[in-house]
Amino acid sequence: MAEQGIYVFLAETRKSLYWHSQVLLEEPLRRTRLDLIELFSRDDVAIYNSIPTAEGALFMAIQHTDITIHGSRCMVLGLGRIGLTLAGMLHRLGAHVKAGVLKPEQFARAWEMGIEPFYTKDLYDEGVNVDIIFNTVPEQILTSRVLTRIPHHTIIIDLASKPGGTDFRFAEKRGIKALLAPSLPGLVAPRTAGRILARTLCQLIQDERSQNREQMDILACPSGL
């Protein structure tokens, strides 16, 4: 199935192609002099998108539970760009938040935020008393072994790209509700998602035009000056 993308050529230089997936472009790019800029790999786009993603995850949690976020026991797996935003929102709403991390610096950041950190290698022991689990890790971390320790009432909202980080088949067998929810920005806030891309594209085009003008000015400058 072909992936959809967003692409823009600069008429002045025909130099840059902005896209959100490299899958279909690897071979054509080898035959051209175009530079590829993967929009969804950029930190700024990912951080902006983390806001509608986190809000969408909270909306799903409210829909599928019979408790408030305030006072609930929440776990965020992965403290990357989405995980940080989501954990902060949950904390500010009054949830008791635990964060599963991989690196010592992430452990320290969670502690600084007032969130209870643990290393994901200890997830089996940490999942015994939790109401809502939000996963952002793009590999299977909520395995069948881990799921045997998770209470039946727990809701799992998996924000990782397909196929997610949850053993969904085993979760269903145990009666645990597990929802795969990738690409939330375009679903819950399409106007905001579009504005994020538009703002980023405009900035990229403006930056490239400025760079091209500087190069033309250098070339136009007489030698020896």
Side-chain angles (χ1 to χ4, degrees):
M1 181 177 179
E3 293 195 37
Q4 299 299 311
I6 298 171
Y7 58 93
V8 175
F9 286 103
L10 295 191
E12 297 93 332
T13 64
R14 293 182 59 81
K15 181 182 179 184
S16 294
L17 178 60
Y18 306 105
W19 195 263
H20 83 261
S21 174
Q22 196 169 351
V23 175
L24 301 178
L25 297 176
E26 291 177 351
E27 184 56 35
L29 282 171
R30 293 192 186 101
R31 301 193 298 266
T32 69
R33 290 183 293 176
L34 290 172
D35 296 327
L36 178 68
I37 299 174
E38 294 183 84
L39 290 176
F40 285 79
S41 295
R42 289 174 55 93
D43 279 338
D44 55 349
V45 173
I47 292 169
Y48 288 134
N49 271 334
S50 73
I51 300 168
T53 298
E55 289 186 2
L58 290 176
F59 176 71
M60 292 182 68
I62 292 168
Q63 275 189 316
H64 292 279
T65 60
D66 56 3
I67 58 175
T68 60
I69 297 296
H70 187 281
S72 65
R73 296 161 297 185
C74 295
M75 178 183 290
V76 177
L77 297 176
L79 213 59
R81 294 167 297 197
I82 293 173
L84 275 171
T85 299
L86 179 55
M89 283 187 182
L90 290 166
H91 181 63
R92 289 189 292 273
L93 284 171
H96 304 291
V97 187
K98 300 171 71 172
V101 302
L102 286 172
K103 301 175 182 179
E105 56 267 33
Q106 295 172 331
F107 192 101
R109 176 58 66 192
W111 181 85
E112 178 272 330
M113 293 171 64
I115 293 166
E116 181 184 345
F118 68 92
Y119 288 105
T120 51
K121 64 181 178 63
D122 300 319
L123 179 56
Y124 179 78
D125 297 318
E126 295 289 339
V128 295
N129 189 23
V130 62
D131 298 313
I132 311 169
I133 297 176
F134 300 90
N135 176 56
T136 69
V137 179
E139 59 186 48
Q140 193 163 107
I141 185 171
L142 290 165
T143 62
S144 58
R145 179 175 178 269
V146 171
L147 290 172
T148 60
R149 298 277 284 176
I150 291 174
H152 291 279
H153 74 273
T154 301
I155 300 294
I156 298 171
I157 299 175
D158 200 323
L159 303 171
S161 301
K162 292 182 180 179
T166 304
D167 187 335
F168 289 97
R169 185 172 298 178
F170 190 82
E172 185 178 6
K173 286 181 180 179
R174 285 213 69 223
I176 297 171
K177 183 178 288 188
L179 307 169
L180 181 61
S183 307
L184 281 180
L187 296 175
V188 301
R191 183 179 297 181
T192 298
R195 285 173 174 168
I196 290 168
L197 289 180
R199 183 168 58 240
T200 304
L201 284 169
C202 289
Q203 186 61 54
L204 287 168
I205 292 169
Q206 185 177 18
D207 290 346
E208 186 161 347
R209 283 177 172 167
S210 297
Q211 183 180 1
N212 290 337
R213 281 196 294 267
E214 290 175 2
Q215 291 175 348
M216 292 299 294
D217 290 342
I218 293 173
L219 291 173
C221 182
S223 59
L225 295 182

